[in-house]
Amino acid sequence: MRAVLEDDGYPVETYSSSESFLEAYRPGRKGCLLLDAYLPRMSGVDLLRRLHDRGDRLPTIMITGSSDVPIAVEAMKAGAIDFIEKPIGCSELLSSLNSALEQSRNSSKLFASRETAAATIASLTPRQHQIMDMVLAGHPSKNIAADLGISQRTVENHRASIMEKTGSKSLPALARLALAAHWNDPKELPNYVSSRR
């Protein structure tokens, strides 16, 4: 990743652990933190929470394992701007980094994107909201169908409608949208973090 970023003209600093980053970090520096969720000792999410609790708003992109939506959601609740899944392609990395830096420079653009997300999520029916929350919490369609007393096929149809209405191409994209929609009122954030860890 360092080589890709340096080839694109970005200065890069790397740290072996959350603790070594905290020792070197000085608030107020411009930049973007690319943070792995599963660092040894202090996890990436714990580091992000610590920065957030100190009032440091360094734009952060969380790197997670494939289909690790609950951890990504925890990271966004702790203040991450975005998350990307391994394996990471060069274009995805650069796109996410450019977007995070642009959002940190332009808070009005960030507010507008959150307003758009809120309107998109508000367009879902109550049943679609319910199913979306359960899907993002990591429940399989079969379990959702049993819990709601509907057929698995009906759940799958709702899932397809949710993805189409929101323009989401993946569950992580849907999670980003749902979190952005509730950003201004954290009490309204659904608990997407399941007990699977």
Side-chain angles (χ1 to χ4, degrees):
M1 284 195 300
R2 179 178 191 141
V4 168
L5 296 173
E6 286 180 338
D7 285 349
D8 210 56
Y10 290 104
V12 179
E13 295 175 11
T14 56
Y15 301 91
S16 59
S17 67
S18 296
E19 292 83 0
S20 64
F21 171 78
L22 283 173
E23 284 176 26
Y25 178 65
R26 298 294 169 260
R29 291 182 65 189
K30 302 251 188 238
C32 181
L33 180 61
L34 293 171
L35 185 58
D36 196 297
Y38 298 102
L39 293 171
R41 296 183 302 277
M42 184 190 305
S43 74
V45 174
D46 289 337
L47 170 60
L48 189 54
R49 282 193 193 109
R50 184 174 293 190
L51 289 170
H52 193 265
D53 290 346
R54 290 185 346 188
D56 293 327
R57 299 294 184 258
L58 184 64
T60 302
I61 299 168
M62 185 64 67
I63 300 168
T64 68
S66 177
S67 301
D68 202 352
V69 174
I71 292 296
V73 170
E74 277 191 63
M76 293 188 78
K77 284 184 176 182
I81 286 181
D82 197 2
F83 64 92
I84 49 180
E85 293 178 300
K86 299 174 189 173
I88 304 162
C90 295
S91 60
E92 181 187 11
L93 175 64
L94 292 171
S95 173
S96 185
L97 177 64
N98 289 327
S99 176
L101 290 171
E102 180 62 29
Q103 286 181 15
S104 72
R105 284 191 293 265
N106 188 348
S107 59
S108 64
K109 183 176 180 182
L110 181 58
F111 179 77
S113 71
R114 290 176 178 165
E115 290 293 305
T116 301
T120 302
I121 293 298
S123 73
L124 298 176
T125 67
R127 177 64 94 185
Q128 288 171 338
H129 265 279
Q130 188 178 31
I131 290 173
M132 178 187 73
D133 290 348
M134 295 174 85
V135 166
L136 292 178
H139 300 288
S141 294
K142 182 178 176 182
N143 294 6
I144 295 170
D147 288 348
L148 299 180
I150 58 178
S151 72
Q152 187 172 340
R153 174 119 178 138
T154 300
V155 172
E156 293 297 335
N157 288 339
H158 278 300
R159 285 182 68 157
S161 294
I162 291 164
M163 300 303 273
E164 185 179 337
K165 268 188 173 180
T166 61
S168 302
K169 303 228 183 294
S170 66
L171 286 182
L174 181 61
R176 279 188 204 93
L177 185 72
L179 286 166
H182 295 293
W183 198 272
N184 293 327
D185 191 355
K187 288 180 250 163
E188 293 295 314
L189 275 172
N191 183 17
Y192 295 139
V193 183
S194 74
S195 58
R196 295 179 311 147
R197 294 200 189 217

